[in-house]
Every structure is written in C-alpha cells, then in structure tokens.
Amino acid sequence: MGKKGSVMLIRKSSDIQSSEITPRATYEAFQGDRRRFLAGLGSIGAAAAAASLFPRGAFAATTKLTTVPSAYTVNETVTPEAKAQSYNNFYEFGTDKSEPAHNARTLRTRPWTVSVEGLVKKPQTLDIDTIMRYRPLEDRTYRFRCVEAWSMVIPWNGYSLAEFIKAMEPLPSAKFVQFISLADRTQMPDLGSSGINPPYSEGLRMDEAMNPLTLLTFGSYGETLANQQGAPIRVIVPWKYGFKSAKSIVKIRFVEKMPHTTWNDLNSDEYGFYSNVNPSVNHPRWSQAHERRLDGTGGIFPKSIPTLPFNGYANEVAGMYQGMDLKKFY
C-alpha cells in the first residue's frame, strides 16, 4: 500500500469530457483483420496482441476522465492496458478470456440507470452520469486477484462505495448489499449459455461495502470502463477474488439477510460467499498459494509470485473478520 496511517481524500471539482468514438467504418475494417490475426495465435498471446493493434475505442465509445490522486494505491508494476483489456472474465460475453473484448461491443452503456432498492430511506433510480459526478473520481492502483490464480495490477477510477451508500441512507436493519448485473439478451446474445443463471448477483456484508477500499468504479487507465471490463459501473473489492466485483450493475439492494450470489449458488464448495483471497485455502482443483502476475514483465510465461493473505490488504481489512474461521467461512 501507499502511505500508512490515516488516508486523506483530495477534493476538487470533477468533470467529464466529450466522448471519443471510433467511426463505424474504421471499426468494421478492423474486425476483418482481427479475426484473421486471432486465428493464428494462442488465446492469451492473441488477446494481448489484438488489443495492442486495436484501440479500446474500436469496441466501445470511451471518455477521458478527470480524476484526483488517491493514497489508496500500490507501488507495483502496472499491467499493460492492452493485456487488461483483452484478458477478461465476463461470462455474459463468453467463457474464453479473449471473447469479452470482442463480444461485448454489443453492450450499450448509454442510457443507463441504476435502481436503489430494499431497506433504504431513499429508494430511487439514478442515471449513471449522476452517479459518476456524485464524488470526485480518484486514481487507485489496486492488485486484482482472480480465483483462477492469475492477477493484475490495474489503475481503476472511481470513489469509495461508502460515499454512495451514506447518501442512500440505508436502514439499521440493512446488513448486506446486493448487486444485480444487466441481463438483456438483445445486448448479450449468449446470455445463460455459460451455465450461470442470469442475472448475475453478488453481495457484500455492510461493513465490507463500507470499507473505504471498496471502490464504486467507472473507469480504468484514465478512461471510462471498456465494455468487457463491466462498463459503465462496477465495484472493485481488492481483497476478494475477482468474481466478487460485480460488473455492469443495474440494481443495488439493501437487505437484512445474506443474499443469494451467482457462484455461491452454482457451486458453494468452490465459491464461498466471502471469498477473501487466502493462500492457505485451496480451490478444490488447484492451489491458491501462488498466482500468475500478468504485468508484462514475464515474457511469454507470466511470472509466478506468492499470494498474500487478503491480497496484500490485511492491514486494512483483516479486522472485519476477527474471530471467524476463514477456512470454514470461505
């Protein structure tokens, strides 16, 4: 992490600049070359190379973001943007890591609204641009660890989810926050074909959602989120495995009891509700003691590094789990 001790959030006015949209003709020309290029390469190498050839705007409109620095950051080698944009888990757009970057071009991120429901004083439906402007967007470089034992270091752009939750004024009876992702077959033609039941659902305990590290996220690398990253709004929970960080959110619900979550419902033996990064608790089919860091420094073969408890964020979050058996409550 960065500076120890108290963290100061820097406040100043935030604005959103005009979109930079790739012309349709340019996009269509790129598509033909992209298919031929991918046909001759392996999935990981092909995905990274393709992203370097075709700019993010070839797949979706992007907007430069005005951001402020944040003390919530790690001083580690950042994963190249091309790799972060081309190696994704987003099953609504395909199960292979290279598929979302291509298939998610059908996702329409404007107009977009998020409904706030459940045990809250202010149930309402908010426009995405209103939510983005609620607080200054910060630059936060986080470790991002996937349950499949690979990891990245990504500069995300957003603000603490706690700020948004406070404004919604949840009732004292609200103990959990549930996130529901978009499920629209007109935008996601293969929805449900991966075996997961739509809509995608995730959840956090209220104290986890209120932890200042939990980021309500609108961008990465200084631009709005690419579609394949979960545009236009997602959460990042950096001490948990990546599937806990819900993408393309359309509903936020405040509830009293632990909510159903997609992967926990699908296979609770492999995917627990908490899913804190824990190198001492293996996945049933592989070890979690090490991870492949996709940061561009390992050449063809990503380097293997030891996995840290809570993904290296133990100082900030371990106190929330005092007295809990983290093997039992995985």
Side-chain angles (χ1 to χ4, degrees):
M1 290 292 294
K3 298 178 180 179
K4 295 183 179 179
S6 61
V7 176
M8 178 180 69
L9 300 183
I10 303 172
R11 306 295 187 194
K12 69 179 183 180
S13 61
S14 178
D15 193 17
I16 296 178
Q17 301 176 12
S18 59
S19 297
E20 299 173 349
I21 304 175
T22 298
R24 180 181 181 85
T26 304
Y27 165 76
E28 290 176 344
F30 279 151
Q31 283 302 98
D33 290 340
R34 179 186 183 278
R35 292 189 188 99
R36 289 189 293 273
F37 179 77
L38 290 179
L41 297 173
S43 61
I44 297 178
S52 69
L53 288 178
F54 307 114
R56 183 202 301 232
F59 305 107
T62 62
T63 303
K64 297 288 185 182
L65 297 176
T66 299
T67 60
V68 299
S70 173
Y72 294 110
T73 193
V74 294
N75 185 21
E76 298 180 15
T77 302
V78 171
T79 297
E81 184 177 6
K83 188 176 291 291
Q85 301 299 346
S86 59
Y87 195 74
N88 309 101
N89 276 335
F90 200 163
Y91 277 23
E92 289 88 337
F93 294 107
T95 56
D96 186 88
K97 300 295 183 291
S98 65
E99 289 180 328
H102 173 66
N103 296 338
R105 69 185 187 278
T106 57
L107 180 65
R108 300 186 297 274
T109 61
R110 294 295 189 280
W112 191 281
T113 58
V114 177
S115 64
V116 179
E117 305 174 356
L119 303 173
V120 58
K121 287 184 180 179
K122 297 182 178 180
Q124 55 189 297
T125 298
L126 295 168
D127 178 78
I128 181 61
D129 295 309
T130 299
I131 301 173
M132 285 183 69
R133 294 186 178 100
Y134 184 73
R135 287 287 187 270
L137 302 184
E138 302 171 31
D139 292 315
R140 296 190 180 188
T141 300
Y142 279 171
R143 304 179 192 94
F144 187 80
R145 173 64 155 80
C146 183
V147 74
E148 297 161 308
W150 56 268
S151 65
M152 299 186 184
V153 176
I154 297 177
W156 301 102
N157 309 117
Y159 56 80
S160 289
L161 176 63
E163 299 291 338
F164 181 77
I165 290 177
K166 288 180 209 175
M168 299 299 104
E169 298 184 40
L171 302 178
S173 55
K175 307 300 182 186
F176 294 87
V177 184
Q178 183 182 24
F179 307 96
I180 305 295
S181 298
L182 179 71
D184 182 355
R185 292 189 185 279
T186 65
Q187 301 182 59
M188 302 168 168
D190 297 325
L191 186 68
S193 62
S194 64
I196 15 185
N197 297 321
Y200 192 91
S201 170
E202 255 309 333
L204 298 171
R205 210 168 60 187
M206 183 62 77
D207 59 342
E208 296 176 318
M210 294 295 289
N211 187 284
L213 281 177
T214 304
L215 191 68
L216 193 59
T217 309
F218 308 94
S220 68
Y221 298 89
E223 296 182 347
T224 50
L225 286 168
N227 285 4
Q228 62 268 27
Q229 285 187 304
I233 177 173
R234 65 173 296 170
V235 292
I236 297 294
V237 193
W239 69 94
K240 295 180 180 288
Y241 292 116
F243 67 88
K244 293 294 296 183
S245 297
K247 303 179 182 76
S248 299
I249 297 168
V250 293
K251 292 182 182 179
I252 299 176
R253 292 174 175 161
F254 295 88
V255 297
E256 183 175 8
K257 297 181 179 180
M258 183 181 290
H260 289 281
T261 61
T262 294
W263 284 104
N264 187 227
D265 286 350
L266 188 66
N267 192 342
S268 60
D269 290 336
E270 297 187 4
Y271 307 99
F273 176 82
Y274 287 98
S275 287
N276 294 314
V277 175
N278 190 341
S280 66
V281 176
N282 291 332
H283 187 279
R285 287 177 281 136
W286 56 79
S287 169
Q288 294 288 16
H290 289 79
E291 62 199 65
R292 292 173 294 118
R293 175 60 61 81
L294 308 181
D295 62 5
T297 63
I300 297 175
F301 302 103
K303 64 182 178 182
S304 177
I305 60 174
T307 291
L308 301 174
F310 298 106
N311 204 23
Y313 297 96
N315 289 341
E316 293 78 14
V317 305
M320 294 188 290
Y321 309 102
Q322 284 186 344
M324 288 181 62
D325 183 342
L326 295 181
K327 292 186 177 180
K328 179 180 180 181
F329 297 102
Y330 164 67

Short mmCIF file of all heavy atoms in Angstrom, two decimals, residues 68 96 219 242 250 285 295 327:
data_model
loop_
_atom_site.label_atom_id
_atom_site.label_comp_id
_atom_site.label_asym_id
_atom_site.label_seq_id
_atom_site.Cartn_x
_atom_site.Cartn_y
_atom_site.Cartn_z
N VAL A 68 -8.60 12.67 -9.48
CA VAL A 68 -7.68 13.20 -8.48
C VAL A 68 -6.84 12.06 -7.94
O VAL A 68 -7.27 10.90 -7.99
CB VAL A 68 -8.43 13.92 -7.35
CG1 VAL A 68 -9.22 15.09 -7.88
CG2 VAL A 68 -9.34 12.96 -6.60
N ASP A 96 -14.22 -17.89 -22.74
CA ASP A 96 -12.79 -17.77 -23.02
C ASP A 96 -12.36 -16.34 -22.70
O ASP A 96 -13.10 -15.38 -22.95
CB ASP A 96 -12.50 -18.09 -24.48
CG ASP A 96 -11.02 -18.11 -24.77
OD1 ASP A 96 -10.40 -19.17 -24.60
OD2 ASP A 96 -10.48 -17.04 -25.16
N GLY A 219 -14.08 3.63 -14.33
CA GLY A 219 -13.05 3.70 -15.35
C GLY A 219 -11.80 2.95 -14.96
O GLY A 219 -11.66 2.43 -13.85
N GLY A 242 -11.78 -12.03 -7.82
CA GLY A 242 -12.37 -11.11 -8.78
C GLY A 242 -13.85 -11.27 -9.02
O GLY A 242 -14.54 -10.28 -9.32
N VAL A 250 -27.04 -2.86 -12.50
CA VAL A 250 -28.29 -2.14 -12.76
C VAL A 250 -29.15 -2.01 -11.50
O VAL A 250 -30.09 -1.21 -11.48
CB VAL A 250 -29.12 -2.81 -13.88
CG1 VAL A 250 -28.41 -2.70 -15.21
CG2 VAL A 250 -29.42 -4.27 -13.54
N ARG A 285 -9.67 -27.64 -7.09
CA ARG A 285 -8.96 -28.16 -8.26
C ARG A 285 -7.58 -27.55 -8.47
O ARG A 285 -6.90 -27.92 -9.42
CB ARG A 285 -9.84 -27.96 -9.50
CG ARG A 285 -11.03 -28.91 -9.54
CD ARG A 285 -11.94 -28.66 -10.74
NE ARG A 285 -12.82 -27.52 -10.51
CZ ARG A 285 -13.06 -26.57 -11.40
NH1 ARG A 285 -12.44 -26.60 -12.56
NH2 ARG A 285 -13.89 -25.58 -11.13
N ASP A 295 1.73 -8.83 -15.73
CA ASP A 295 2.15 -7.43 -15.70
C ASP A 295 3.09 -7.06 -16.83
O ASP A 295 3.66 -5.96 -16.86
CB ASP A 295 2.79 -7.08 -14.35
CG ASP A 295 4.04 -7.89 -14.06
OD1 ASP A 295 4.48 -8.65 -14.95
OD2 ASP A 295 4.59 -7.76 -12.95
N LYS A 327 -11.37 -20.57 6.99
CA LYS A 327 -11.43 -21.79 6.18
C LYS A 327 -12.87 -22.28 6.09
O LYS A 327 -13.32 -22.76 5.05
CB LYS A 327 -10.52 -22.86 6.76
CG LYS A 327 -9.04 -22.54 6.62
CD LYS A 327 -8.16 -23.69 7.07
CE LYS A 327 -6.69 -23.37 6.87
NZ LYS A 327 -5.81 -24.49 7.30
#
